[in-house]
Amino acid sequence: MKKPYWQSYWYRVRVRLDDEQWAGWQGLGGPEFSQVSNVALRDSSLEAWATAFLEEARSELDDLRGDLLLECFDEPTPGAGAEPVHSAQVTLRRP
């Protein structure tokens, strides 16, 4: 079967805070996976969208200290151990 022209992606955002009470990567609340807007992907790559998304998130989460991780998948509910098709990480502002 021929692969469709359009590829949909889903993402999750996780945070690892510097505060010692948090161990490992934690979700930020809301649904675990959200769909990347098809409109956003019409004119740019998944990687470009992810970079812009993380920069905006970084500025909105300026009160947190730690790391932010964005993982993108090509299915809406990937199974345990599924590898993301793209992932990127940024450091949240340090004091």
Side-chain angles (χ1 to χ4, degrees):
M1 186 168 141
K2 188 175 180 181
K3 192 170 185 172
Y5 172 76
W6 189 258
Q7 173 69 53
S8 294
Y9 294 101
W10 289 263
Y11 68 95
R12 70 177 170 190
V13 180
R14 306 178 94 192
V15 66
R16 181 174 57 200
L17 299 176
D18 286 346
D19 189 338
E20 293 183 59
Q21 73 181 3
W22 294 84
W25 293 104
Q26 304 290 323
L28 285 177
E32 184 175 6
F33 294 96
S34 300
Q35 186 170 5
V36 177
S37 166
N38 289 332
V39 172
L41 295 176
R42 182 177 50 205
D43 298 322
S44 68
S45 68
L46 178 64
E47 293 80 6
W49 171 84
T51 299
F53 181 93
L54 284 173
E55 284 307 311
E56 184 176 336
R58 178 190 260 172
S59 68
E60 289 181 13
L61 299 172
D62 63 351
D63 58 326
L64 298 178
R65 306 293 178 259
D67 298 297
L68 196 62
L69 174 66
L70 175 70
E71 296 176 307
C72 301
F73 297 87
D74 57 3
E75 55 186 297
T77 53
E83 291 292 321
V85 295
H86 178 73
S87 65
Q89 181 177 329
V90 294
T91 301
L92 298 171
R93 195 179 295 178
R94 302 281 187 215

